[in-house]
Amino acid sequence: MQKFLDVAIEAAQEAGRILLAEFQRPQRIEYKGEVDLVTEADRRSEQVIVERLRQHFPEHAIVGEEGGGQSAESRYRWYVDPLDGTTNFAHGYPCFCISVALAEHTEPIVGVVFDPLHGELFSAVRGEGAYLNNKRIHVSRVPRLDRSLLATGFPSHKRTQNPNIHYYWEFTLRSHGVRRDGAAALDLAAVACGRFDGFWEFGLKPWDTAAGVLLVREAGGRVTDFTGKPYCVTEPAANFPENALLASNGLIHGEMQQVASEVAARASTRL
Ligand code: IPD
Ligand code: CA
Ligand code: CA
């Protein structure tokens, strides 16, 4: 397990150096969809991570967001988001990270989220706790939704309609506020270390969530779908409704579920 973690950290730090250098340069933006951006930094970062993983674990499967992985029938599968927060990055907004995780069958067993601008390295190994720069981290102890700070996100590809706006509205009224930072892996890391008390989003992909979900669980929090079923990282379609992810410190989980079900019950906002 230590070797898996060491290589994931080495790869994320190497990618971090590339992102820092690229962040200083004007960005050449391309579009994957109507509003879904990709930059040279996404590609270069993914290339170094995949190279490093391939070199150490040639028999493992690797799924990279930008398509640079390798498929293999393997008990082990890496999920790589080489730049989580591309829209922020492309606009010069300093909030982005690298997410690297290893799953054994369907369970994440190693997770690393690295924020190179702030020098923050979040890591977790299944059953061994979660860490920020080698210091053990825990979820917050905030006991009530009306005392909590929350986060959410909106998918980059969907512009015409987004039911999450109704959840955003309701949770904003019932909490200290809802942040929308634009990097899901960092949002989950922030729940793990107690900066946020809860986070939800729809339609995330395994490379967005695999490392962050492990961080939250290892830090003592809960990650489920909106029905309270454990969130399945590797088969997003199994999470109900619309691949909903709900992460929290555990204490406000029931209240968040309750609000979500009230919002969903209103016909006009049903997903
Ligand atoms: C996106 C970010 C964002 C979330 C989107 C993701 P990307 O990832 O995590 O916070 O709201 O759903 O797609 O495209 O920047 O890697
Ligand atoms: Ca992402
Ligand atoms: Ca990305």
Side-chain angles (χ1 to χ4, degrees):
M1 207 63 102
Q2 191 58 43
K3 167 103 193 271
F4 295 152
L5 178 65
D6 290 346
V7 173
I9 290 175
E10 186 191 320
Q13 287 177 330
E14 216 175 322
R17 285 191 283 277
I18 288 176
L19 294 189
L20 284 183
E22 288 280 339
F23 195 56
Q24 309 308 319
R25 284 198 259 273
Q27 291 306 307
R28 263 188 299 133
I29 300 171
E30 289 169 40
Y31 287 83
K32 290 195 272 188
E34 196 197 345
V35 281
D36 204 356
L37 315 182
V38 62
T39 66
E40 189 58 24
D42 296 76
R43 298 208 182 90
R44 287 191 58 209
S45 172
E46 180 160 307
Q47 200 184 348
V48 300
I49 298 169
V50 169
E51 256 172 44
R52 193 61 62 235
L53 297 176
R54 204 177 264 161
Q55 174 196 343
H56 288 277
F57 311 112
E59 69 292 358
H60 289 186
I62 306 172
V63 182
E65 180 181 8
E66 307 309 333
Q70 63 182 24
S71 58
E73 270 313 303
S74 171
R75 160 180 176 191
Y76 294 111
R77 186 173 296 263
W78 292 89
Y79 291 100
V80 177
D81 192 337
L83 169 47
D84 186 43
T86 293
T87 306
N88 289 342
F89 188 93
H91 286 269
Y93 181 69
C95 182
F96 56 84
C97 67
I98 294 136
S99 175
V100 179
L102 176 64
E104 182 175 14
H105 302 299
T106 58
E107 283 302 313
I109 55 170
V110 168
V112 170
V113 172
F114 181 45
D115 171 351
L117 278 176
H118 299 97
E120 292 196 324
L121 183 92
F122 296 87
S123 63
V125 169
R126 196 176 177 200
E128 295 179 18
Y131 293 82
L132 166 52
N133 293 343
N134 295 322
K135 229 174 128 202
R136 189 89 188 242
I137 50 172
H138 298 280
V139 292
S140 76
R141 290 166 188 243
V142 169
R144 286 168 32 188
L145 187 58
D146 65 2
R147 300 284 156 85
S148 69
L149 184 63
L150 307 176
T152 190
F154 293 82
S156 14
H157 56 271
K158 203 171 177 185
R159 199 169 225 180
T160 47
Q161 180 210 28
N162 200 313
N164 194 23
I165 202 75
H166 302 281
Y167 294 80
Y168 186 82
W169 166 286
E170 202 58 49
F171 278 118
T172 298
L173 295 178
R174 300 207 200 186
S175 65
H176 279 175
V178 180
R179 300 291 176 259
R180 192 272 192 253
D181 273 352
L186 271 185
D187 292 332
L188 285 162
V191 173
C193 69
R195 292 173 188 165
F196 292 142
D197 309 300
F199 165 74
W200 82 95
E201 189 165 342
F202 299 95
L204 289 169
K205 300 288 194 299
W207 49 77
D208 298 309
T209 60
V213 165
L214 183 65
L215 285 169
V216 174
R217 289 182 176 147
E218 288 299 323
R222 261 184 94 186
V223 191
T224 69
D225 64 11
F226 275 175
T227 69
K229 208 165 109 249
Y231 184 85
C232 179
V233 163
T234 53
E235 282 166 52
N239 304 299
F240 187 80
E242 295 257 331
N243 182 20
L245 179 151
L246 175 57
S248 81
N249 64 4
L251 302 172
I252 62 165
H253 212 83
E255 274 191 278
M256 286 190 76
Q257 259 181 266
Q258 179 59 35
V259 172
S261 71
E262 283 169 30
V263 176
R266 287 183 215 140
S268 61
T269 62
R270 204 166 276 156
L271 285 168

